[in-house]
Amino acid sequence: MKVAKVRVLYNFEGEPGNGELTIYEDDILDVIRQDVGDGWWEGQNPNGQRGLFPEAYVEVVKTPPPPSFSPPPVPQISEPVPVQSISTAPPPERTESFDDWDEEWDEESSYSQESTQEYGLNGQGNFGLNAPNRDLRKNSADIKTGTVRKNYSRFSVFSKSGGEAYLMGNVSKKSLSPAGSVTIIETDEGPQWEPDTNPFQAQIRNPKKESKLKGIKSFICYQITPTNTGIQVSRRYKHFDWLYERLVDKFITICIPALPDKQVTGRYEDTFIEKRMEQLQRWLTRMTNHPVISRSEVFQHFVTCTDEKLWKVGKRKAEKGEFAGAAFFSLVQTPQKPLELNHVEAHHDSFHKFVKSMDESLKHVILAVHDHSKKHIGPFKREYNKLGASFTSLANSFELDNGLHPDVTVEESQKLTKAIQHTGKTYTEIGDLYANQPREDLYPLEDSMREYTGMLACFPDMISFHKHTLSTEREYQKSQEDGKIDGLDAEQVRRRADVISYSMMAEMNHFHQERVKDYKDMMQKYLQEQIKFYETITNKLQENLAMYGDINT
């Protein structure tokens, strides 16, 4: 069916250089093409801009048919349809095989030029894309972004993840085993996840372009090597995406930042592959640094499994969703000390304010750093090059000196000319230094800051879940005081609420520990590179200054 207009459901930040169109919620778009690729359409926004956008981010605007005259129906008396006769059977379940999953959308894959020409796509193909995944964590509400997660209401976040069922004790405890348990310990800094006694890192190296279906479909594979095994595994972007979904489903009070955005074109360019590998490495390091994530069965499966059959078995097991969502708290072992509700609520509100303030501050820092980088590449370089060119022009004029002046020797005049020429060269080089400097300090700083905006975007849902937990606990506490419920029931709800609160506070403390360490490192590296930069400029200027000291006047 040909679609004329669609309404945008989710914000999507497109990459103009890749032909993507930035769209905003509730915009009405004119659809130009629906055959661009599996999951991508081409359209035009209200401002007349054209580009590609994800099909799954929009809904069709239905145009009502024109009214037509028809005679009024003749009223007829009929027996009401019994309720029992209406089928309420659920639709048949779709069984998914590994091969089906293997063909799901994957931004790193594309089809060959020969296969795309068959469909008249001028060699561009469908960019290797199927339906975009929009079930990702939503960034700050004030930022237009293309990486979003379903926007549930507060109650929905709590209920859909099984929070109420857990608090009421309706979570099955079968298959519980000490092997899968997670421990929270009490420290002087508050509750913390039990440290991993065997920490490890995982390095991503040697991205390779591979293909299947006799070369029809191509993709990039990244080689991952955990330090604790030394055994290399090969993973595609879709495997990272699968892992992300499993972690988000399982750990609702642990910060799982979103993966880097998908790419429509240019996926095989060296610069993009290098940048993508850097982003995936940053994400993977964040996961290995978490004492719960790094030891989880699904994460260990991702970084260690090399056998295809075992991979399928582990994948199916992970997708069963055992102890996912609020059921995960059944595995959490906490200190026996009961938490004081007023203290927990104060801690919760304080962290909520901190997250909002840090998120707002990061926006300003990122904008300032980004603008400063642009000045380095543009105005700063241009002005220093202009200054260098003016000094060079002056030196060229001095070269016209014929030496007919008794008080100054030709040799000293030539020294002056060379010194001024070197001044022009020095300022031109300084301009080039300014243009190249952002990749040494400003770009890494901005990337680190942006990583934290992604992490902060995880907390609104977590905070909402915890707030509803505290509200439920207080309701039961009041009902017990009013004599409406048994004291034992209220105590059991309180104990389960404490497990959630302990988990939330442990994650808050982990975030602060990582933040202090990360910001110390990133600011040290930034200032060290700044010092090296200005020392290089100073040395160049001092070298040039010495040339004028050699001139005898």
Side-chain angles (χ1 to χ4, degrees):
M1 178 185 70
K2 188 174 182 180
V3 176
K5 291 182 180 294
V6 293
R7 177 180 288 104
V8 179
L9 299 175
Y10 305 93
N11 295 336
F12 173 76
E13 185 177 2
E15 294 288 340
N18 296 321
E20 299 174 0
L21 178 66
T22 297
I23 55 178
Y24 302 125
E25 186 177 348
D26 291 331
D27 278 357
I28 301 297
L29 309 180
D30 292 317
V31 177
I32 299 172
R33 292 174 59 199
Q34 296 175 243
D35 59 350
V36 174
D38 192 5
W40 289 86
W41 288 0
E42 181 181 4
Q44 180 173 295
N45 65 13
N47 297 327
Q49 298 169 320
R50 296 176 56 169
L52 304 177
F53 60 88
E55 173 192 351
Y57 279 43
V58 300
E59 66 177 357
V60 176
V61 177
K62 296 181 179 179
T63 304
S68 59
F69 174 79
S70 59
V74 178
Q76 296 181 355
I77 299 176
S78 60
E79 293 293 330
V81 180
V83 174
Q84 297 90 317
S85 65
I86 300 176
S87 174
T88 58
E93 293 186 2
R94 176 182 181 271
T95 58
E96 178 185 353
S97 67
F98 183 78
D99 292 335
D100 292 334
W101 176 77
D102 192 55
E103 295 305 322
E104 288 177 3
W105 81 273
D106 175 17
E107 67 160 295
E108 301 295 346
S109 63
S110 67
Y111 292 93
S112 68
Q113 183 172 357
E114 291 78 3
S115 63
T116 57
Q117 286 175 344
E118 179 181 350
Y119 298 95
L121 298 180
N122 300 321
Q124 296 301 313
N126 64 358
F127 309 106
L129 297 172
N130 294 325
N133 181 359
R134 63 187 178 200
D135 258 351
L136 304 179
R137 293 194 181 274
K138 189 175 183 180
N139 286 344
S140 177
D142 295 330
I143 299 178
K144 303 295 184 180
T145 175
T147 305
V148 299
R149 196 182 180 191
K150 288 181 179 177
N151 187 18
Y152 298 128
S153 67
R154 287 184 175 182
F155 176 76
S156 186
V157 170
F158 185 74
S159 61
K160 285 182 178 293
S161 58
E164 191 155 12
Y166 170 75
L167 285 180
M168 299 303 106
N170 295 329
V171 176
S172 173
K173 293 188 177 182
K174 65 179 182 179
S175 300
L176 281 176
S177 66
S181 64
V182 174
T183 303
I184 296 175
I185 59 175
E186 188 66 56
T187 69
D188 294 339
E189 289 75 30
Q192 293 186 5
W193 301 113
E194 184 179 50
D196 189 353
T197 55
N198 297 298
F200 70 97
Q201 292 296 317
Q203 301 297 323
I204 303 179
R205 295 287 186 271
N206 305 323
K208 299 178 181 178
K209 183 178 179 181
E210 299 183 3
S211 62
K212 63 180 184 178
L213 303 177
K214 297 182 178 180
I216 294 178
K217 191 172 185 179
S218 300
F219 47 86
I220 300 296
C221 274
Y222 301 91
Q223 314 309 313
I224 303 174
T225 307
T227 56
N228 58 343
T229 66
I231 300 175
Q232 180 176 287
V233 297
S234 182
R235 298 289 182 260
R236 295 167 57 182
Y237 180 89
K238 70 175 182 181
H239 298 133
F240 281 91
D241 184 64
W242 174 83
L243 174 64
Y244 169 79
E245 292 296 334
R246 302 285 74 72
L247 295 178
V248 168
D249 288 344
K250 186 174 182 64
F251 303 111
I252 57 176
T253 56
I254 292 180
C255 177
I256 314 290
L259 289 168
D261 289 339
K262 56 187 173 297
Q263 183 88 350
V264 177
T265 58
R267 293 186 306 279
Y268 302 127
E269 295 177 2
D270 291 342
T271 53
F272 170 76
I273 294 174
E274 190 68 25
K275 184 66 176 179
R276 170 51 50 84
M277 184 173 68
E278 176 188 328
Q279 292 170 328
L280 292 176
Q281 179 67 74
R282 191 185 294 268
W283 186 87
L284 191 63
T285 299
R286 186 66 59 191
M287 297 298 98
T288 56
N289 285 344
H290 198 287
V292 177
I293 299 296
S294 61
R295 287 181 287 185
S296 65
E297 186 175 6
V298 64
F299 188 78
Q300 287 290 327
H301 182 66
F302 175 83
V303 297
T304 62
C305 184
T306 57
D307 182 83
E308 184 176 349
K309 291 184 178 179
L310 293 178
W311 170 264
K312 294 178 183 179
V313 172
K315 174 184 173 296
R316 295 190 187 101
K317 182 179 180 181
E319 290 171 352
K320 287 181 179 179
E322 292 183 352
F323 302 107
F328 163 72
F329 298 117
S330 301
L331 304 176
V332 178
Q333 306 295 320
T334 66
Q336 294 299 314
K337 178 183 176 182
L339 293 172
E340 211 287 310
L341 183 55
N342 289 333
H343 172 75
V344 174
E345 287 178 329
H347 195 71
H348 171 98
D349 292 340
S350 176
F351 185 75
H352 189 192
K353 292 177 182 177
F354 170 84
V355 168
K356 292 179 66 176
S357 177
M358 182 177 178
D359 185 51
E360 191 65 31
S361 298
L362 276 176
K363 293 178 190 177
H364 296 301
V365 174
I366 291 172
L367 181 61
V369 170
H370 186 74
D371 287 347
H372 197 58
S373 300
K374 291 167 65 176
K375 291 177 181 177
H376 268 258
I377 298 171
F380 290 170
K381 177 183 180 180
R382 183 168 59 250
E383 292 304 314
Y384 276 104
N385 286 170
K386 186 187 297 184
L387 188 59
S390 65
F391 282 124
T392 300
S393 177
L394 178 63
N396 292 337
S397 299
F398 283 7
E399 284 187 331
L400 300 177
D401 177 20
N402 56 18
L404 299 178
H405 33 75
D407 297 332
V408 180
T409 64
V410 173
E411 181 180 357
E412 301 307 311
S413 178
Q414 291 176 343
K415 285 183 179 180
L416 176 63
T417 300
K418 289 182 179 180
I420 296 178
Q421 285 177 335
H422 196 275
T423 300
K425 177 185 176 184
T426 297
Y427 276 94
T428 299
E429 291 176 347
I430 290 175
D432 294 338
L433 286 174
Y434 267 94
N436 295 326
Q437 185 60 23
R439 71 188 64 172
E440 305 297 333
D441 50 26
L442 291 170
Y443 289 166
L445 182 65
E446 182 178 350
D447 287 343
S448 298
M449 298 287 184
R450 289 189 182 278
E451 181 188 13
Y452 264 84
T453 62
M455 294 171 66
L456 291 174
C458 301
F459 284 106
D461 280 354
M462 295 164 59
I463 290 172
S464 175
F465 182 92
H466 188 220
K467 184 175 182 178
H468 201 97
T469 298
L470 299 179
S471 298
T472 304
E473 180 182 1
R474 188 164 289 283
E475 288 173 5
Y476 269 76
Q477 187 181 77
K478 187 176 185 304
S479 296
Q480 180 191 6
E481 294 171 353
D482 295 342
K484 296 179 180 179
I485 62 171
D486 184 80
L488 180 60
D489 291 339
E491 176 63 16
Q492 290 176 340
V493 170
R494 184 201 62 76
R495 288 179 180 177
R496 298 187 191 103
D498 276 1
V499 173
I500 296 176
S501 294
Y502 267 116
S503 300
M504 189 68 183
M505 289 191 290
E507 186 62 17
M508 294 176 190
N509 287 332
H510 176 75
F511 174 80
H512 284 308
Q513 290 172 348
E514 291 289 294
R515 174 182 59 85
V516 171
K517 177 175 65 69
D518 289 344
Y519 273 79
K520 172 191 172 183
D521 291 344
M522 74 172 73
M523 294 309 299
Q524 282 182 328
K525 291 177 182 177
Y526 172 72
L527 292 174
Q528 287 167 355
E529 291 297 332
Q530 284 278 287
I531 291 171
K532 286 168 58 178
F533 171 64
Y534 286 110
E535 282 180 343
T536 302
I537 292 177
T538 300
N539 292 336
K540 285 183 174 293
L541 294 173
Q542 288 178 337
E543 178 186 348
N544 185 218
L545 177 62
M547 296 178 68
Y548 291 94
D550 294 337
I551 301 173
N552 296 320
T553 57

Short mmCIF file of all heavy atoms in Angstrom, two decimals, residues 47-77:
data_model
loop_
_atom_site.label_atom_id
_atom_site.label_comp_id
_atom_site.label_asym_id
_atom_site.label_seq_id
_atom_site.Cartn_x
_atom_site.Cartn_y
_atom_site.Cartn_z
N ASN A 47 9.63 21.52 6.61
CA ASN A 47 10.51 22.59 6.13
C ASN A 47 11.02 22.36 4.72
O ASN A 47 11.84 23.13 4.21
CB ASN A 47 11.71 22.74 7.08
CG ASN A 47 11.27 23.15 8.47
OD1 ASN A 47 10.30 23.88 8.63
ND2 ASN A 47 11.99 22.67 9.48
N GLY A 48 10.58 21.27 4.11
CA GLY A 48 11.01 20.97 2.74
C GLY A 48 12.30 20.18 2.65
O GLY A 48 12.80 19.94 1.54
N GLN A 49 12.85 19.75 3.78
CA GLN A 49 14.09 18.95 3.76
C GLN A 49 13.76 17.49 3.49
O GLN A 49 12.79 16.96 4.04
CB GLN A 49 14.82 19.10 5.10
CG GLN A 49 15.26 20.52 5.41
CD GLN A 49 15.74 20.66 6.84
OE1 GLN A 49 15.17 20.10 7.75
NE2 GLN A 49 16.82 21.42 7.02
N ARG A 50 14.59 16.85 2.68
CA ARG A 50 14.37 15.46 2.30
C ARG A 50 15.47 14.57 2.85
O ARG A 50 16.60 15.01 3.04
CB ARG A 50 14.31 15.33 0.77
CG ARG A 50 13.14 16.06 0.13
CD ARG A 50 13.17 15.97 -1.38
NE ARG A 50 13.21 14.60 -1.86
CZ ARG A 50 13.04 14.25 -3.14
NH1 ARG A 50 12.81 15.18 -4.05
NH2 ARG A 50 13.09 12.98 -3.50
N GLY A 51 15.13 13.31 3.10
CA GLY A 51 16.13 12.37 3.57
C GLY A 51 15.50 11.06 4.02
O GLY A 51 14.29 10.84 3.88
N LEU A 52 16.34 10.18 4.56
CA LEU A 52 15.90 8.86 5.01
C LEU A 52 15.51 8.91 6.49
O LEU A 52 16.13 9.62 7.28
CB LEU A 52 17.01 7.83 4.82
CG LEU A 52 17.58 7.68 3.41
CD1 LEU A 52 18.72 6.69 3.41
CD2 LEU A 52 16.49 7.24 2.44
N PHE A 53 14.50 8.12 6.87
CA PHE A 53 14.10 8.01 8.26
C PHE A 53 13.60 6.60 8.52
O PHE A 53 13.17 5.90 7.60
CB PHE A 53 13.01 9.04 8.61
CG PHE A 53 11.75 8.90 7.80
CD1 PHE A 53 10.73 8.05 8.22
CD2 PHE A 53 11.58 9.61 6.62
CE1 PHE A 53 9.57 7.91 7.47
CE2 PHE A 53 10.42 9.48 5.87
CZ PHE A 53 9.41 8.63 6.29
N PRO A 54 13.67 6.12 9.77
CA PRO A 54 13.24 4.75 10.07
C PRO A 54 11.72 4.61 10.00
O PRO A 54 10.98 5.41 10.58
CB PRO A 54 13.74 4.53 11.51
CG PRO A 54 14.66 5.65 11.79
CD PRO A 54 14.24 6.79 10.94
N GLU A 55 11.29 3.58 9.31
CA GLU A 55 9.85 3.32 9.17
C GLU A 55 9.19 3.10 10.52
O GLU A 55 8.06 3.54 10.76
CB GLU A 55 9.65 2.08 8.29
CG GLU A 55 8.21 1.59 8.21
CD GLU A 55 8.12 0.21 7.58
OE1 GLU A 55 9.14 -0.29 7.06
OE2 GLU A 55 7.02 -0.37 7.62
N ALA A 56 9.92 2.45 11.44
CA ALA A 56 9.34 2.11 12.74
C ALA A 56 9.17 3.32 13.64
O ALA A 56 8.59 3.20 14.71
CB ALA A 56 10.22 1.06 13.44
N TYR A 57 9.68 4.48 13.23
CA TYR A 57 9.57 5.68 14.06
C TYR A 57 8.33 6.49 13.70
O TYR A 57 8.12 7.57 14.26
CB TYR A 57 10.80 6.56 13.89
CG TYR A 57 11.99 6.13 14.72
CD1 TYR A 57 12.34 4.79 14.82
CD2 TYR A 57 12.76 7.07 15.38
CE1 TYR A 57 13.43 4.39 15.56
CE2 TYR A 57 13.86 6.69 16.13
CZ TYR A 57 14.19 5.34 16.21
OH TYR A 57 15.27 4.95 16.96
N VAL A 58 7.52 6.02 12.75
CA VAL A 58 6.37 6.80 12.29
C VAL A 58 5.14 5.92 12.23
O VAL A 58 5.21 4.68 12.27
CB VAL A 58 6.64 7.42 10.90
CG1 VAL A 58 7.85 8.34 10.94
CG2 VAL A 58 6.85 6.31 9.85
N GLU A 59 3.98 6.58 12.14
CA GLU A 59 2.73 5.87 11.91
C GLU A 59 2.01 6.52 10.73
O GLU A 59 2.13 7.73 10.51
CB GLU A 59 1.84 5.91 13.15
CG GLU A 59 1.33 7.29 13.52
CD GLU A 59 0.40 7.27 14.71
OE1 GLU A 59 0.12 6.17 15.20
OE2 GLU A 59 -0.05 8.35 15.15
N VAL A 60 1.28 5.72 10.00
CA VAL A 60 0.58 6.21 8.82
C VAL A 60 -0.58 7.11 9.24
O VAL A 60 -1.32 6.79 10.18
CB VAL A 60 0.06 5.04 7.97
CG1 VAL A 60 -0.74 5.55 6.78
CG2 VAL A 60 1.22 4.17 7.50
N VAL A 61 -0.70 8.24 8.57
CA VAL A 61 -1.83 9.12 8.78
C VAL A 61 -2.95 8.67 7.86
O VAL A 61 -2.84 8.77 6.63
CB VAL A 61 -1.46 10.60 8.51
CG1 VAL A 61 -2.68 11.50 8.66
CG2 VAL A 61 -0.35 11.04 9.44
N LYS A 62 -3.99 8.16 8.45
CA LYS A 62 -5.10 7.63 7.65
C LYS A 62 -5.99 8.76 7.17
O LYS A 62 -6.44 9.59 7.95
CB LYS A 62 -5.91 6.64 8.47
CG LYS A 62 -5.12 5.39 8.88
CD LYS A 62 -5.99 4.43 9.67
CE LYS A 62 -5.19 3.18 10.06
NZ LYS A 62 -6.02 2.24 10.85
N THR A 63 -6.22 8.78 5.87
CA THR A 63 -7.11 9.79 5.27
C THR A 63 -8.50 9.22 5.16
O THR A 63 -8.70 8.17 4.53
CB THR A 63 -6.60 10.20 3.87
OG1 THR A 63 -5.25 10.65 3.98
CG2 THR A 63 -7.47 11.31 3.30
N PRO A 64 -9.51 9.86 5.78
CA PRO A 64 -10.86 9.30 5.72
C PRO A 64 -11.41 9.33 4.30
O PRO A 64 -11.12 10.26 3.53
CB PRO A 64 -11.67 10.23 6.65
CG PRO A 64 -10.89 11.50 6.67
CD PRO A 64 -9.44 11.11 6.53
N PRO A 65 -12.16 8.33 3.88
CA PRO A 65 -12.72 8.30 2.52
C PRO A 65 -13.76 9.40 2.36
O PRO A 65 -14.37 9.85 3.33
CB PRO A 65 -13.37 6.92 2.43
CG PRO A 65 -13.67 6.56 3.86
CD PRO A 65 -12.59 7.18 4.68
N PRO A 66 -13.95 9.90 1.14
CA PRO A 66 -14.95 10.94 0.92
C PRO A 66 -16.34 10.42 1.23
O PRO A 66 -16.65 9.25 1.02
CB PRO A 66 -14.80 11.26 -0.58
CG PRO A 66 -14.17 10.05 -1.17
CD PRO A 66 -13.29 9.48 -0.11
N PRO A 67 -17.20 11.29 1.80
CA PRO A 67 -18.55 10.83 2.16
C PRO A 67 -19.35 10.46 0.91
O PRO A 67 -19.24 11.08 -0.14
CB PRO A 67 -19.15 12.06 2.86
CG PRO A 67 -18.37 13.22 2.34
CD PRO A 67 -16.99 12.71 2.07
N SER A 68 -20.12 9.44 1.03
CA SER A 68 -20.96 8.99 -0.09
C SER A 68 -22.38 8.78 0.43
O SER A 68 -22.58 8.36 1.57
CB SER A 68 -20.43 7.70 -0.70
OG SER A 68 -20.37 6.69 0.28
N PHE A 69 -23.34 9.06 -0.43
CA PHE A 69 -24.74 8.93 -0.02
C PHE A 69 -25.18 7.47 -0.10
O PHE A 69 -24.87 6.76 -1.05
CB PHE A 69 -25.64 9.78 -0.93
CG PHE A 69 -27.10 9.58 -0.63
CD1 PHE A 69 -27.68 10.22 0.47
CD2 PHE A 69 -27.86 8.75 -1.42
CE1 PHE A 69 -29.02 10.02 0.74
CE2 PHE A 69 -29.21 8.56 -1.14
CZ PHE A 69 -29.80 9.19 -0.05
N SER A 70 -25.87 7.03 0.92
CA SER A 70 -26.47 5.70 0.89
C SER A 70 -27.74 5.77 1.70
O SER A 70 -27.84 6.51 2.68
CB SER A 70 -25.51 4.67 1.51
OG SER A 70 -25.21 5.01 2.84
N PRO A 71 -28.74 5.03 1.30
CA PRO A 71 -30.02 5.06 2.03
C PRO A 71 -29.85 4.53 3.43
O PRO A 71 -28.98 3.71 3.68
CB PRO A 71 -30.92 4.15 1.18
CG PRO A 71 -29.98 3.25 0.46
CD PRO A 71 -28.76 4.08 0.18
N PRO A 72 -30.63 5.05 4.37
CA PRO A 72 -30.52 4.56 5.75
C PRO A 72 -30.83 3.08 5.82
O PRO A 72 -31.70 2.58 5.08
CB PRO A 72 -31.55 5.40 6.50
CG PRO A 72 -32.51 5.86 5.46
CD PRO A 72 -31.71 6.02 4.20
N PRO A 73 -30.13 2.34 6.66
CA PRO A 73 -30.37 0.90 6.77
C PRO A 73 -31.72 0.60 7.39
O PRO A 73 -32.23 1.37 8.21
CB PRO A 73 -29.23 0.41 7.66
CG PRO A 73 -28.85 1.61 8.48
CD PRO A 73 -29.08 2.79 7.59
N VAL A 74 -32.27 -0.50 6.98
CA VAL A 74 -33.55 -0.93 7.55
C VAL A 74 -33.26 -1.61 8.88
O VAL A 74 -32.46 -2.55 8.94
CB VAL A 74 -34.27 -1.91 6.61
CG1 VAL A 74 -35.57 -2.40 7.25
CG2 VAL A 74 -34.52 -1.26 5.27
N PRO A 75 -33.85 -1.11 9.96
CA PRO A 75 -33.55 -1.72 11.27
C PRO A 75 -34.04 -3.16 11.32
O PRO A 75 -35.12 -3.47 10.83
CB PRO A 75 -34.31 -0.83 12.25
CG PRO A 75 -35.38 -0.16 11.45
CD PRO A 75 -34.83 -0.01 10.06
N GLN A 76 -33.20 -4.02 11.86
CA GLN A 76 -33.55 -5.43 12.00
C GLN A 76 -33.30 -5.87 13.43
O GLN A 76 -32.34 -5.42 14.07
CB GLN A 76 -32.73 -6.31 11.04
CG GLN A 76 -33.02 -6.01 9.58
CD GLN A 76 -32.21 -6.92 8.68
OE1 GLN A 76 -31.39 -7.68 9.14
NE2 GLN A 76 -32.48 -6.85 7.39
N ILE A 77 -34.13 -6.74 13.91
CA ILE A 77 -33.97 -7.26 15.26
C ILE A 77 -33.24 -8.59 15.16
O ILE A 77 -33.62 -9.46 14.38
CB ILE A 77 -35.33 -7.46 15.94
CG1 ILE A 77 -36.07 -6.11 16.03
CG2 ILE A 77 -35.19 -8.09 17.30
CD1 ILE A 77 -37.48 -6.21 16.60
#
